[in-house]
Amino acid sequence: ENLDLCNCRKIPLEAWKKLGDAKCPNLKEVKLYGCFHENGAGAAEALQAVASAGPSLTKLDLCGCGQIPAEAWKKLGEAQWPNLQVVDFTACFQENGAGAAEALQAVASAGPSLTKL
């Protein structure tokens, strides 16, 4: 139900690819704080898995992931998270705003359940 990989900055792309193929319909909390602070390799795969969480997702922490490329953020474009309560994108768009529209579109699907952004 929970995926916590906070500050796991050295996960190789091949490992992220395995996560990208996963379907995670029961995922409630995702904490990837700092995983993509140094580079964005594997971000598309990670965000694909996050997008697949669907209505079960309640918390998403991507704080400090400023190296996620715009193409990776697009993986969230179709996400539907009606039960999302907490989102942390701190420093994700500090240097570059590319991909912010897709990230915020996914967050907007939360509606009234969102308590912290």
Side-chain angles (χ1 to χ4, degrees), residues 81-84 106-115:
W81 302 321
N83 297 307
L84 189 64
V107 170
S109 74
S113 66
L114 194 63
T115 59

Side-chain angles (χ1 to χ4, degrees), residues 79-95:
Q80 293 294 312
W81 302 321
N83 297 307
L84 189 64
Q85 298 171 5
V86 178
V87 179
D88 192 346
F89 288 151
T90 302
C92 288
F93 302 104
Q94 185 173 354
E95 302 293 325

Side-chain angles (χ1 to χ4, degrees), residues 6-114:
C6 288
N7 288 312
C8 293
R9 297 176 181 169
K10 303 298 181 186
I11 295 175
L13 177 59
E14 289 305 314
W16 286 117
K17 285 182 179 179
K18 293 181 187 308
L19 181 63
D21 293 335
K23 299 295 182 216
C24 308
N26 297 317
L27 204 54
K28 291 183 179 179
E29 293 189 12
V30 177
K31 298 176 186 175
L32 299 178
Y33 176 102
C35 288
F36 303 106
H37 174 74
E38 295 173 6
N39 70 68
E45 290 77 9
L47 295 184
Q48 180 66 45
V50 171
S52 77
S56 64
L57 191 67
T58 60
K59 182 175 182 179
L60 176 59
D61 185 351
L62 292 170
C63 179
C65 292
Q67 295 301 313
I68 295 177
E71 288 300 313
W73 286 111
K74 288 181 181 178
K75 300 291 184 180
L76 299 182
E78 299 296 318
Q80 293 294 312
W81 302 321
N83 297 307
L84 189 64
Q85 298 171 5
V86 178
V87 179
D88 192 346
F89 288 151
T90 302
C92 288
F93 302 104
Q94 185 173 354
E95 302 293 325
N96 184 346
E102 288 82 0
L104 294 177
Q105 177 182 340
V107 170
S109 74
S113 66
L114 194 63

